Amino acid sequence: MAPKGNDMDTLEHIPFYDHHAHALYHEALWRAAPLGAYFTEAYDPVIQQRFAQDTLFFRRSMRDLGELYGCEPTAEAITDTRLRHDYAELCAELLSQANIQHLLIDDGFWPERLWSVEESRARLPLPVRRVVRIENELEKLLAHHDTSESLLSALDGILREAGQSAAGFKSIIAYRTGLDIASSSVPEQERSFERARREGGQLNEKSLLDAALLLGLRIAAELRLPVQFHTGYGDPDLDMRLANPLHLRSVIERPELADLKVVLLHCYPYVREAGYLASVYRGVHLDLGLTVPYTSVASMRGAFREALHLSPVSKVLISSDAQRTPELYWLAARWARRSLGQALRQTVEDGDLSSAESQWAAERILWHNANELYAR
Ligand SMILES: [Zn+2]
């Protein structure tokens, strides 16, 4: 893959390596889902129904989708037009219009409602690979074991096997007990395990989750697989104070993990913090998916600028974090290219990069950085 051309206005000629996304809805769910639900991370029905349509993201996206479908830029007209399409064709068409040429799917989100990795691979015109969510694998095993040691040893086996074909591992521990990961003794892990078994429901036991994560990180380091961490912005299941990537220092500094490739996903609003980490720790990379396209244009452009305050260009990535509906991949790719183009033009005006270097930076960030990081 050798991207050509030098159109900094759209960057459309550069393929997009989408290294963090989820799969598309099964068709019946897609047809039933209201358009507005795709434009907010809120669960609160009052936010969803009354306020979500007043964000800059929503207003901008209605004009984008009106342009895409050749209809009025209103939710009603867009809904009407999009539902007239053949769903499978629309999915393939929008991903190819977005010039997404490689897709990594974290299949730990809504697995019953979305296509599996195999279904995505069969239905989409591009290479699709799996990213394995460590916490989901742990939860699936929980009911089948009587001790934390037996549970963690089963997890070890599952992750090693999945790691043979996966593109990487992912952790959503920020959503559970936060990024301040700590070691614990086996008796502590056992007590944590017993509480988890007693309480049932979502696993929120810190000693057990931290032990499982540290195990996953050691396996990833051995198998030379990158590990993605959810950091920063997300839905309100998350305590965003505990999602600051600076908490990961104790993990990143472990000597046995020095060569582990860590990808800080999303980062908003902790983009400068993530850029700092990428500038001082060899394994750390940062991603701006979800920041793009869920925030204003100024914020998306600003996030690329802030990432590049300190981070080497070769450690900045962009993903769609899209899921459920094909328009989200298309919107993410459109604004990834536009806001990156705007940020890089500024680096040329400022004298940070030459025009040729800004072209190189665009190709690194949209394609080469991920393509090298996730190469097997
Ligand atoms: Zn995601």
Side-chain angles (χ1 to χ4, degrees), residues 20 22 170 321:
H20 174 62
H22 308 277
K170 154 119 188 253
D321 198 17

Side-chain angles (χ1 to χ4, degrees), residues 6 8 313 341 343-362:
N6 59 359
M8 287 302 288
V313 167
L344 290 176
R345 264 199 302 279
Q346 185 68 46
T347 65
V348 176
E349 270 171 44
D350 291 346
D352 284 326
L353 295 178
S354 71
S355 167
E357 284 166 335
S358 78
Q359 184 63 34
W360 159 80

Side-chain angles (χ1 to χ4, degrees), residues 78-93:
I78 292 162
T79 298
D80 210 50
T81 313
R82 68 199 281 272
L83 293 178
R84 275 191 249 130
H85 284 77
D86 177 284
Y87 178 54
E89 275 173 25
L90 185 69
C91 294
E93 169 64 23

